[in-house]
Each structure stands twice: as C-alpha cells, then as structure tokens.
Amino acid sequence: MRLSVGEMAKLCGVSIRTLHYYDHIGLLCPETAADSGYRWYGAADVERMQQILFFRELDFPLRDIAAILSDPQYDKQEALRRQRQLLLLKRDRLDRLLALLEANMRGEQTMEFQGFDAGDVAAARRAYAEEARTRWGGTEAWRQSRERAEEDPAFPAEEMNAIFRRIAALRTGDPAAPAAQEAVADWRAFLTARCYDCTEEILAGLGAMYREDDRFRRNLDRFGPGTAAFFADAIAAYLAR
C-alpha cells in the first residue's frame, strides 16, 4: 500500500493541512521513496492513523497521543479494549438522547434529563487518560507539553524546518563543528520554548530516537539522506562538551 498525502487525507477524512501538522510534530510521518523523492503513507501508517483518530475521538491531546504511541511499552490491544469501553459509553448516552428526542417528537411530556448528562463518559475518559499517562507517558515532558498549546495554530513549523535544513546542510561535515553545535543549541531552545523543558536527558533521548526510530529518521532524512544520523552525532557531541 502506498498512499499520497491527498489520498491519505481522503481515506481518513482529515485535511491535508492536518496531515502536514502531524508530520511536523512527528506524530505521523510518511516515508520518502528513494527512487522519486515522493512521500507515501504505507499500511503501518494507516494503522497508526486509526489509533490516532480513536484517541482524538476520546478527546486526547495530540502530544499525549504522540507520547503514548511512541512508548516502547505501548499495548495496542489493551488500548483498543479501553477505547471500546469509552465509545460504548458514548453510544449509550447518544441512545438516551435519541430516545428523549423521539419522545418529544411524539408530543410526550417528560422531565427526563439524564440523557444530557455526560458525566459518566467524562469520568471514564479522565480515568483512562490518567492510566495511559501512568503506563505510557508519565514524564515531566508529558506534563509540560500538555500545558503548552498542543494544537497551536501559530505553531512555527517553518522555524522548526529551518533548523532541520541547517542541520542537513552541515551533514557532510564534522558534527562537533561550531555551526552544528549552534544548530543543536537552537533546536534545544526551540523545544524548550514551544514544547517542553528540553533537559540534557531528554535531548539525549531525542538523539537516540533520531538514530534508531524509523519514523523520526524518515522525517529528518527528507531534508537530505543522513540528516538524522548526523543530527544524532551532533547531539552526542553537544552533550559531551
């Protein structure tokens, strides 16, 4: 399976702009075909998108979803089971509302307001969110990212990409060179300002993901082959100073 950005958007019922944003924040990154340079979504991306949309249906913030899905301990079957429970609660509430509406259409007078109460759904969603944070994302970075606008319409994607392009332009040189180290420092400052406090520990973890995680590697290497590996080496040099 290979879907273009437009085909993926149509299949999933989201906008192309939404897919671009998911790509920018590393939530869903298409592959780049080596022969043509085009970007394609594969079967694994479609499966991941389903998980994203399930979580979005349950009102999880995007950065929570990214933290959950990226955790090595993430249990998809357990997540699906809990998502099903929440969706059944939502369906039960809608069934009560429909029954109340149909009774009113028949001219019946009723003092029933239970259908409007979404407290049980909200309580179950909060419980699941807390469980997910505990099991798959209970970190300081998680907490901070939730406090900052996770779907900020003014998210400076171009500023982020400008740093990536700087790294890509340097990728044939020395990762410990001043220009590369300055780019790493700027990236750390960007993350701290826009996402979470990028400590040295978090920065080291990002470097490892750029080297080992296919999604992040593909996302960075679209700026030039080898960008992700060079970025990881530059981060390692930065932390070794």
Side-chain angles (χ1 to χ4, degrees):
M1 175 185 290
R2 293 210 309 179
L3 300 174
S4 68
V5 174
E7 290 169 336
M8 184 71 163
K10 184 176 181 180
L11 175 67
C12 301
V14 300
S15 68
I16 292 176
R17 180 180 179 182
T18 293
L19 291 178
H20 284 160
Y21 183 76
Y22 288 3
D23 188 8
H24 283 315
I25 65 174
L27 180 59
L28 185 70
C29 304
E31 298 183 21
T32 300
D35 54 343
S36 64
Y38 289 120
R39 310 200 70 201
W40 303 96
Y41 292 92
D45 297 316
V46 173
E47 182 179 342
R48 184 178 176 87
M49 187 62 173
Q50 285 184 331
Q51 280 292 289
I52 292 169
L53 293 178
F54 276 132
F55 280 116
R56 289 301 286 153
E57 184 68 25
L58 298 171
D59 299 322
F60 275 66
L62 289 182
R63 294 193 185 280
D64 284 13
I65 299 171
I68 290 172
L69 295 182
S70 298
D71 193 293
Q73 302 303 315
Y74 174 64
D75 186 334
K76 178 184 174 182
Q77 289 303 314
E78 174 64 15
L80 289 171
R81 185 182 69 80
R82 294 300 300 273
Q83 289 163 357
R84 181 177 184 275
Q85 291 175 343
L86 286 171
L87 290 173
L88 286 173
L89 283 175
K90 291 184 71 172
R91 186 181 71 179
D92 289 345
R93 176 174 177 268
L94 290 175
D95 285 343
R96 293 194 300 270
L97 284 172
L98 284 170
L100 180 60
L101 180 62
E102 290 166 357
N104 276 267
M105 291 174 66
R106 292 191 297 269
E108 299 177 10
Q109 298 297 318
T110 176
M111 297 297 291
E112 171 63 53
F113 287 88
Q114 183 180 3
F116 294 101
D117 184 5
D120 55 347
V121 179
R125 184 172 58 242
R126 286 194 299 270
Y128 178 41
E130 183 59 35
E131 179 184 339
R133 284 193 293 273
T134 300
R135 294 183 59 183
W136 300 316
T139 66
E140 180 66 11
W142 173 297
R143 183 189 66 77
Q144 292 184 21
S145 69
R146 295 199 72 206
E147 292 175 353
R148 303 179 188 183
E150 47 82 34
E151 282 186 286
D152 182 3
F155 181 80
E158 184 52 38
E159 181 182 346
M160 176 181 69
N161 287 337
I163 297 174
F164 292 160
R165 283 194 290 270
R166 284 169 57 195
I167 290 289
L170 298 167
R171 70 186 187 279
T172 58
D174 181 2
Q181 293 302 294
E182 182 180 350
V184 173
D186 288 347
W187 178 233
R188 183 182 183 186
F190 174 88
L191 290 174
T192 297
R194 286 291 179 174
C195 302
Y196 44 75
D197 183 12
C198 188
T199 64
E200 290 192 352
E201 181 181 3
I202 289 176
L203 187 62
L206 289 174
M209 285 193 296
Y210 298 161
R211 189 185 303 280
E212 300 166 8
D213 190 302
D214 285 340
R215 292 180 303 107
F216 285 95
R217 185 166 59 247
R218 290 196 302 266
N219 189 44
L220 287 169
D221 281 357
R222 64 192 173 95
F223 294 91
T227 298
F230 179 83
F231 205 171
D233 290 341
I235 289 173
Y238 177 91
L239 294 172
R241 294 184 307 177

